[in-house]
Amino acid sequence: MKESYEVIVVGGSFAGLSAAMQLARARREVLLIDAERPRNRFATHAHGFFGQDGVPPAQAIATATAQLRKYPTVTLLKGEAHRASREASGFRVELTNGFHVKAERLILATGICDKLPPLPGLEGRWAVSVLHCPYCHGYEVGDRRLGVLATHPLSIHQALLIPDWGPTTWFTQGTIEPDAEEVALLSARGVCIERVPVAEIMGEAPSIDGVRLVDGRVIRIDALFISVRTEMASDLAEQLGCAADEGPLGPVIRVGDFKETSVPGVFAAGDASTAMTNATFASASGVAAGVGAHRSLIFTK
């Protein structure tokens, strides 16, 4: 394979593949580097994505990768990019195996990591019965007993949403106390407020039978929604000096309309570039980044 390309895309999930597709169709030389650790690898099915509802994420990624592979100007490389730097002619990316490549433009579709709170039983149920997005997973647990675990002030917002899918208990964990107006809103939505902290998730993972509170009481639920803190899955944006903002749940790379970062020639797409995270948003941002990178090759010298 070559050592120099017009564009390097780091990350081969929904955002990175969508970005690379635009560049492939523009007949540009593009290298896609993928470590094959997408954020959605824990989910058995993806929902709400146009034309792909119910398709396993791994299957959607495999199909898109096979389609991208048919374009002659595309090179796919399995590996982890761990260093990136600016050079006079563009950017240099080094992989963990020591191999390095160069490009005029760089698209970071490196994603984020979910950081679950230290409550026993959460990790083994993540993306199955412990869920973060009702639009992605709510329909599948509809009309069942649902819980919302408070980890962040946004948990109130989540608790107000969830009753559209089923009867809801909001566990404040003794850390978030709603004001009078919020109590009224929660009551109007039929949300039961439980202030005693959850100590244990019950049932054989990945299912949930209920939760045991620190006072010994057991409350039966079938699924638990939770807003988790997130971290960047890669520090490449930081290495390059890309500006970031603190989003509601974690850092977000600052981007413009076509996903250009604060560093000329570097674009960012996917969950690392937006606080609104799901498959559709990721793919759309990848399209914008791919188009943005292509336009910059033409109009920016």
Side-chain angles (χ1 to χ4, degrees):
M1 61 178 292
K2 302 190 312 177
E3 291 188 8
S4 182
Y5 299 83
E6 291 179 288
V7 183
I8 293 174
V9 179
V10 183
S13 189
F14 286 65
L17 288 165
S18 296
M21 179 64 76
Q22 311 312 307
L23 291 156
R25 293 189 56 77
R27 304 192 297 183
R28 294 291 181 159
E29 294 284 343
V30 56
L31 171 67
L32 186 144
I33 302 170
D34 185 29
E36 298 185 354
R37 291 196 302 272
R39 183 189 185 194
N40 57 21
R41 65 189 181 275
F42 302 103
T44 56
H45 297 85
H47 292 284
F49 189 29
F50 180 75
Q52 300 288 323
D53 187 53
V55 174
Q59 180 180 326
I61 291 170
T63 299
T65 302
Q67 292 171 345
L68 186 63
R69 205 182 291 273
K70 295 177 182 179
Y71 288 86
T73 60
V74 173
T75 301
L76 303 177
L77 176 62
K78 179 181 178 180
E80 182 177 355
H82 80 125
R83 294 190 189 281
S85 58
R86 176 183 283 280
E87 295 191 339
S89 59
F91 302 92
R92 184 180 190 272
V93 176
E94 182 180 334
L95 281 69
T96 52
N97 63 5
F99 185 72
H100 71 269
V101 284
K102 298 180 180 181
E104 298 176 52
R105 300 291 185 269
L106 183 60
I107 298 177
L108 303 177
T110 45
I112 57 178
C113 296
D114 298 297
K115 307 303 291 185
L116 296 175
L119 180 64
L122 286 182
E123 187 171 349
R125 296 173 169 89
W126 183 237
V128 180
S129 56
V130 174
L131 309 165
H132 77 290
C133 174
Y135 298 103
C136 301
H137 305 289
Y139 191 88
E140 283 61 47
V141 295
D143 298 321
R144 303 175 73 183
R145 299 166 297 185
L146 306 178
V148 176
L149 188 74
T151 59
H152 186 277
L154 280 180
S155 178
I156 294 176
H157 175 77
Q158 193 174 45
L160 288 167
L161 288 176
I162 298 303
D164 273 9
W165 287 273
T168 302
T169 300
W170 181 44
F171 300 96
T172 72
Q173 292 300 87
T175 61
I176 300 174
E177 181 59 37
D179 59 28
E181 182 179 357
E182 291 166 337
V183 169
L185 288 171
L186 291 162
S187 178
R189 293 284 286 156
V191 177
C192 176
I193 301 174
E194 177 55 67
R195 292 176 171 82
V196 177
V198 173
E200 176 188 4
I201 298 178
M202 302 175 63
E204 185 175 349
S207 297
I208 295 178
D209 293 336
V211 295
R212 189 185 306 279
L213 307 183
V214 295
D215 62 7
R217 286 182 295 129
V218 172
I219 296 180
R220 299 294 175 183
I221 61 170
D222 301 295
L224 184 66
F225 286 87
I226 178 172
S227 295
V228 298
R229 292 287 302 177
T230 62
E231 296 179 355
M232 293 289 170
S234 166
D235 66 351
L236 294 182
E238 182 180 357
Q239 291 180 31
L240 290 162
C242 299
D245 298 308
E246 187 62 29
L249 296 172
V252 176
I253 300 171
R254 187 182 303 164
V255 293
D257 291 341
F258 281 95
K259 298 299 177 178
E260 63 275 13
T261 71
S262 61
V263 176
V266 179
F267 299 76
D271 290 355
S273 69
T274 178
M276 300 288 289
T277 60
N278 71 15
T280 302
F281 286 127
S283 181
S285 71
V287 171
V291 171
H294 177 236
R295 289 166 59 89
S296 78
L297 288 169
I298 299 169
F299 300 114
T300 305
K301 298 298 181 181

